[in-house]
Amino acid sequence: MGAGTGSGRGQLFLRSLLFLLLAGPPARGQLRYAVPEELEHGAFVANLGEDLGLDVSTLSARRFRIVSRAGARQHLEVNLENGILFVNERIDREEVCEAGGTCLLHLQLLVESPLELYRVEVEVLDINDHAPTFPWQEYVLEVAESAVLGARFPLESAQDPDVGTNSVHTYRLSPNGFFSLEVQTRSDASKFAELVLERALDREQQRVHRVLLTALDGGVPERSGTAHILVTVLDANDNVPAFDQPSYGVSLPEDAPAGTLVIQLNATDLDEGPNGEIEYSFSGHAPPRVRELFHVEPRSGQVLLKGRLDYERASLHELYVQAKDRGPSAVAVHCRVLVHLLDVNDNAPEVTLTSVSTPVLEDAPPGTVIAVISVLDRDSGDNGRVSCEVSPNVPFELRSSFRNYYTLVTTQALDREAVPEYNVSITARDMGSPALLTRSTITIPVSDVNDNAPRFLQPSYSVYVMENNAPGASICSVSALDPDCQQNAYLSYSIADGHIHGMPVGTYVSINSDSGHMYALRSLDYEQIRSFQIQVQAQDAGFPPLSANVTVHIFVLDQNDNAPVIVSPMPRNGSVATELVPRSARPGYLVGTVSAVDADAGLNSRLSYQLLQATDFTLFSVAPDTGELRTLRSFLEQDASRQQLVVQVRDGGQPALSATVSLLLSVVETMPQTLSDFSEFSLPPEVSSSSPLTLYLLVSLGSISFTFLLAILILTAIRCRGERRSRQGDGCSPPRCHCCPGSRPSPDGLKTSNVTAQPPVGTTAATCLDVPAGGPPGYCYKVCLGPESAQSDFMFLKPCSPRRNNEKDPGKRSRPEQHLQVSKEAKQPNTDWLPPGTQRPALKRYQTQLWGNRGSRWKG
């Protein structure tokens, strides 16, 4: 056997350089290089840093590396200082790639910060480092002397692990006068030689023929191997076995158990006896791997499975079986058996987490890469086609970057408050039947971002505080929640700036910044302030801080701390209030109305009236709700002319407070038009329970007015009595009332004027009073009352003056400044005393009831 030799390490390096120059430019995202096999450690392959456009100075910091499966040999390595890909250990192409064809090393390059993935393919180029070899260095070929010309005798093929042009290219036969060599090509492009008989053999002349068979490859330099063939001429066994067909094909699943029948071969020999008995065996062409997997029964011709098949290692096995009879000069005939393996889905996908970046911020934008995942299935076809998916209802998805490589990215914004941690299940499932799958779980924690503002437990707070509270007492507590964590959830409370009735809100309430407890800093008075509101702010400690506000409504509750105040009737100059009642009054006659106010509210201000003391309880009654004083029966002769009553006004508080008023009722035969103590009393709108001074002012004003009117009535009565005496009791008639400016003064120095009151229908007599006027000269007043009049109001009438239509003498007219102007309109209340809005309805109702009662009284 001869073998060619290489041209040395220098030529090997030149060939390597040549291969690199011939390699095409790298594709975007995927680079491809070529490197010859058998290079020494450190041999240059490529400059990855330059080809990938990476900064060489950052390769080490970014952990630039080759990702390979566990247990795989690292034939190539990257120098992190210069980014050069170099040979880490000697590459034997025949060892790396057992099958023929293109031999590729698939490299996955990973660089972090940011995470990037590159795919590099390195083709291992074959060099002619193996010479062809024969199974045996000497072959014995028995040829019957009866062999016909042109008979073909297949020879054992030479084997060359190299591929392409470096494999067996041709055969040569040493010169001889009987045989020629014909080279045949198999379906896999391999070559084998057949010995062709060119001259008839004669055993008697030459029993043995020796020839030299040489196998040559196509490499540079050319390598060769030789084998000696010893041709023995046998006596005639002129029939050789024959197979049914020269080639057989069979399919076998890769998971077939040992002992499975692959095929039943059948060859026939027309000879008889030993020359017709056939034995089967593998020919010398069968490689060792085939002999390990299969077995041929010599007598039956059955081909049985001996070892374990693996489709992923080899999908086709080519068996060469020979049949030879047992006669002398037996000639072996060959047939080819092609065993096609059927792939079985016997390999589950393999899931490898190449790189994981956790935890992830909850505000990470969609598309953020979380992990790089590689998937491998050793099956082929649909059995090796893998699809990956993540568990449902998670904000993540898989994106395919390269074949069988995926990146796990976010699909939407994360919310740590909703889900603080995700257990993402990645399922890799092949397309086989039945499908195999592999699950791998990745735990992805979510880190917090201050993206949630505090939230109060209530949209607003209503706090009810009893008035007269102790300063510093706790009135309520507000509470807020922040779904964030750690410092982003730490809350502090404060009160927003503001004013309450012109005073800073901080003078009324304070709040504990940690707990949210609120405290009243002063004692509250319902009569001064009914309610107010403040803004409370809760702010977290995140960056930037977030806050929320809530309105706290504070309502002051009333206590029964104000007793009722009698506003009508009012006593005169500290004396008992008086009233005139006609003796002719019928049952139900309205004497007057006792009116009172209470500065409190609610039940504390609900007043009830009762007759506490009376000269005769059977004569008068008081309405408990309105305070109306009415007669229960008609007056009798024996009833006293002066009735003294005490009316009590009680509020509805607990304990109840009360006030009393004493009344002196005078029973008269006729009712003069005098102003009673039950005169109309209109509360100014500004009467407020919170201002006792206002009440005192009203009482004083009413007393002064009442005193003034009473004085006018007395003076009027005295004047009328004097005129009656001077006119001898002639009554009161208009011609006799002297109201002229020229009247002489009376003895008391006052000028008089007549005022006539019309008596009621059906009466003839009238009571006339001349009242001396305290105004300008030339005025007098007269009050005329009918004997049966029930009215008690004082009536202001215009001064008596000559008619202007008939008056010709301007001298008789009174001067304008001498007219006494008396307004008939009610005086408007002082707007500075207007009560708060919450008290106005109550006072308005009070005024309406008071006016209504008085109106009904006067109409009655």
Side-chain angles (χ1 to χ4, degrees):
M1 169 181 167
T5 58
S7 58
R9 182 174 298 177
Q11 294 181 357
L12 188 60
F13 177 77
L14 291 177
R15 289 197 302 273
S16 172
L17 207 43
L18 177 62
F19 289 137
L20 289 176
L21 293 176
L22 292 176
R28 178 175 179 84
Q30 177 173 326
L31 302 178
R32 183 165 181 173
Y33 302 97
V35 61
E37 63 176 334
E38 301 297 336
L39 290 181
E40 296 294 331
H41 173 75
F44 174 87
V45 177
N47 191 338
L48 293 178
E50 179 179 351
D51 294 342
L52 295 177
L54 301 176
D55 188 359
V56 177
S57 61
T58 62
L59 294 181
S60 179
R62 295 181 64 186
R63 299 183 61 194
F64 183 64
R65 62 189 184 277
I66 297 176
V67 180
S68 59
R69 295 193 304 272
R73 298 178 63 179
Q74 196 76 15
H75 294 288
L76 301 175
E77 189 59 298
V78 177
N79 189 334
L80 297 181
E81 296 180 358
N82 51 25
I84 292 177
L85 180 68
F86 63 93
V87 176
N88 186 43
E89 64 178 20
R90 186 181 66 86
I91 304 175
D92 187 355
R93 183 191 179 284
E94 288 73 25
E95 179 182 354
V96 174
C97 302
E98 294 183 3
T102 304
C103 182
L104 296 176
L105 295 179
H106 299 280
L107 305 179
Q108 283 75 37
L109 303 178
L110 184 66
V111 61
E112 299 180 356
S113 301
L115 188 65
E116 295 178 356
L117 183 67
Y118 301 92
R119 183 172 181 179
V120 177
E121 291 182 352
V122 179
E123 179 180 359
V124 180
L125 302 177
D126 183 48
I127 64 173
N128 194 18
D129 57 342
H130 293 86
T133 58
F134 289 91
W136 299 278
Q137 293 188 6
E138 184 174 314
Y139 291 91
V140 177
L141 180 61
E142 296 180 345
V143 179
E145 62 178 349
S146 59
V148 298
L149 298 179
R152 297 174 179 272
F153 306 96
L155 302 178
E156 293 289 345
S157 298
Q159 300 294 326
D160 193 339
D162 296 327
V163 295
T165 59
N166 295 328
S167 64
V168 176
H169 180 62
T170 187
Y171 293 88
R172 293 177 185 173
L173 189 64
S174 62
N176 64 88
F178 293 90
F179 300 95
S180 65
L181 193 66
E182 188 170 334
V183 179
Q184 302 290 339
T185 303
R186 300 189 181 95
S187 60
D188 58 353
S190 61
K191 305 294 181 62
F192 67 97
E194 289 183 341
L195 199 61
V196 181
L197 182 61
E198 297 293 339
R199 284 177 57 186
L201 299 176
D202 189 357
R203 181 177 179 278
E204 286 70 22
Q205 290 182 2
Q206 187 177 352
R207 300 179 60 182
V208 175
H209 298 271
R210 295 181 181 272
V211 293
L212 181 64
L213 180 62
T214 303
L216 303 172
D217 61 22
V220 178
E222 185 180 73
R223 293 177 178 268
S224 63
T226 60
H228 293 277
I229 299 177
L230 182 62
V231 179
T232 303
V233 180
L234 301 177
D235 194 14
N237 182 12
D238 53 357
N239 290 292
V240 296
F243 285 97
D244 296 339
Q245 55 191 57
S247 179
Y248 297 89
V250 65
S251 297
L252 191 65
E254 64 171 325
D255 60 347
T260 301
L261 176 63
V262 179
I263 191 173
Q264 173 69 60
L265 298 178
N266 185 30
T268 58
D269 194 329
L270 298 179
D271 292 327
E272 295 181 354
N275 292 333
E277 294 179 2
I278 300 174
E279 290 184 351
Y280 301 90
S281 64
F282 281 117
S283 68
H285 302 155
R289 177 65 178 168
V290 171
R291 297 178 184 271
E292 291 175 1
L293 296 176
F294 302 96
H295 169 67
V296 178
E297 285 292 335
R299 300 296 294 178
S300 63
Q302 292 181 343
V303 180
L304 303 176
L305 183 61
K306 178 181 177 182
R308 182 177 180 182
L309 302 176
D310 189 356
Y311 179 89
E312 289 70 39
R313 185 171 181 179
S315 61
L316 176 66
H317 294 282
E318 193 173 11
L319 284 64
Y320 291 93
V321 180
Q322 67 180 10
K324 184 171 62 172
D325 59 30
R326 303 181 63 182
S329 304
V331 176
V333 293
H334 300 79
C335 73
R336 183 177 65 172
V337 179
L338 297 177
V339 180
H340 298 273
L341 296 187
L342 301 177
D343 185 36
V344 175
N345 194 21
D346 56 347
N347 292 283
E350 300 174 6
V351 178
T352 304
L353 300 179
T354 302
S355 179
V356 181
S357 299
T358 55
V360 58
L361 292 175
E362 63 174 323
D363 63 348
T368 301
V369 178
I370 305 302
V372 177
I373 302 166
S374 61
V375 181
L376 175 65
D377 194 317
R378 301 182 184 277
D379 294 321
S380 62
D382 289 341
N383 295 331
R385 191 173 304 157
V386 181
S387 63
C388 279
E389 59 184 13
V390 296
S391 52
N393 302 324
V394 294
F396 303 97
E397 69 176 2
L398 290 174
R399 294 180 181 175
S400 178
S401 53
F402 299 105
R403 185 174 181 270
N404 294 336
Y405 275 87
Y406 298 87
T407 54
L408 182 66
V409 299
T410 59
T411 59
Q412 63 188 41
L414 305 180
D415 189 357
R416 189 207 64 81
E417 290 69 39
V419 182
E421 183 179 85
Y422 291 91
N423 290 319
V424 181
S425 177
I426 298 175
T427 303
R429 180 183 286 104
D430 59 26
M431 303 298 178
S433 179
L436 299 180
L437 58 87
T438 301
R439 285 192 177 92
S440 180
T441 301
I442 303 177
T443 300
I444 302 176
V446 181
S447 59
D448 185 45
V449 174
N450 191 24
D451 56 347
N452 289 278
R455 187 181 71 256
F456 283 92
L457 299 182
Q458 298 178 209
S460 64
Y461 290 84
S462 296
V463 181
Y464 299 89
V465 181
M466 189 68 68
E467 67 173 329
N468 304 320
N469 61 293
S474 176
I475 58 175
C476 72
S477 176
V478 297
S479 180
L481 297 178
D482 194 320
D484 294 322
C485 66
Q486 297 179 358
Q487 69 174 13
N488 295 332
Y490 177 78
L491 301 180
S492 61
Y493 301 90
S494 62
I495 297 177
D497 294 335
H499 290 80
I500 301 175
H501 288 241
M503 297 293 292
V505 68
T507 63
Y508 280 83
V509 293
S510 65
I511 191 169
N512 188 303
S513 61
D514 295 327
S515 63
H517 291 289
M518 297 179 61
Y519 304 91
L521 298 181
R522 61 170 61 184
S523 180
L524 302 177
D525 188 354
Y526 177 84
E527 287 70 40
Q528 293 183 0
I529 180 170
R530 299 288 180 90
S531 65
F532 59 92
Q533 65 183 25
I534 60 175
Q535 292 288 329
V536 177
Q537 182 185 74
Q539 179 173 294
D540 60 29
F543 182 81
L546 300 177
S547 62
N549 294 335
V550 70
T551 302
V552 180
H553 301 274
I554 299 179
F555 299 94
V556 182
L557 300 180
D558 183 44
Q559 280 187 335
N560 194 22
D561 55 350
N562 291 278
V565 176
I566 305 296
V567 297
S568 175
M570 298 298 297
R572 304 173 185 172
N573 299 325
S575 61
V576 178
T578 62
E579 178 61 41
L580 299 179
V581 181
R583 184 172 291 276
S584 60
R586 297 176 182 178
Y589 173 79
L590 178 63
V591 179
T593 301
V594 178
S595 301
V597 294
D598 194 316
D600 294 320
L603 290 176
N604 296 330
S605 64
R606 182 174 296 177
L607 303 180
S608 62
Y609 303 84
Q610 63 177 351
L611 191 61
L612 191 63
Q613 297 179 9
T615 304
D616 188 349
F617 281 97
T618 64
L619 191 57
F620 300 97
S621 67
V622 176
D625 295 328
T626 61
E628 293 180 347
L629 181 62
R630 296 180 180 271
T631 58
L632 292 176
R633 58 180 175 82
S634 300
F635 287 95
L636 304 176
E637 292 296 334
Q638 61 268 24
D639 290 335
S641 60
R642 297 174 64 87
Q643 299 285 333
Q644 187 169 3
L645 307 177
V646 177
V647 178
Q648 183 187 56
V649 183
R650 179 186 295 268
D651 60 25
Q654 291 294 334
L657 301 178
S658 63
T660 59
V661 60
S662 298
L663 304 176
L664 181 60
L665 304 182
S666 298
V667 182
V668 296
E669 296 298 332
T670 60
M671 288 291 293
Q673 285 187 329
T674 60
L675 184 66
S676 71
D677 292 333
F678 284 99
S679 62
E680 177 183 331
F681 185 84
S682 177
L683 274 178
E686 272 298 345
V687 173
S688 171
S689 61
S690 61
S691 179
L693 180 60
T694 302
L695 182 61
Y696 298 153
L697 291 175
L698 291 176
V699 173
S700 300
L701 181 61
S703 300
I704 294 173
S705 301
F706 181 81
T707 303
F708 175 74
L709 295 176
L710 185 61
I712 291 177
L713 290 176
I714 295 174
L715 292 176
T716 303
I718 294 174
R719 184 65 178 175
C720 289
R721 188 179 297 111
E723 286 189 357
R724 282 200 304 272
R725 290 176 182 176
S726 63
R727 293 176 175 80
Q728 297 178 357
D730 291 335
C732 182
S733 62
R736 298 180 59 185
C737 294
H738 302 283
C739 302
C740 300
S743 300
R744 57 185 179 85
S746 61
D748 55 2
L750 298 175
K751 295 182 179 181
T752 62
S753 175
N754 291 344
V755 180
T756 303
Q758 297 296 332
V761 178
T763 62
T764 57
T767 302
C768 297
L769 297 177
D770 287 338
V771 182
Y779 286 82
C780 65
Y781 300 88
K782 175 172 286 187
V783 178
C784 298
L785 301 175
E788 295 181 3
S789 174
Q791 297 178 351
S792 61
D793 284 355
F794 179 78
M795 300 178 63
F796 289 98
L797 302 179
K798 292 182 180 179
C800 181
S801 61
R803 299 181 208 176
R804 294 185 180 180
N805 295 335
N806 300 327
E807 185 67 44
K808 302 290 183 162
D809 187 3
K812 294 182 179 180
R813 295 182 182 179
S814 62
R815 289 175 297 175
E817 60 270 13
Q818 292 178 346
H819 287 279
L820 178 62
Q821 301 295 331
V822 180
S823 174
K824 295 182 180 180
E825 296 180 357
K827 184 178 180 181
Q828 295 299 322
N830 188 353
T831 57
D832 294 337
W833 293 356
L834 288 175
T838 55
Q839 296 183 3
R840 293 178 186 174
L843 291 177
K844 189 173 182 180
R845 289 195 303 270
Y846 161 74
Q847 290 181 352
T848 303
Q849 293 175 359
L850 184 60
W851 280 100
N853 294 336
R854 294 190 59 81
S856 61
R857 172 189 170 190
W858 302 136
K859 291 177 182 178

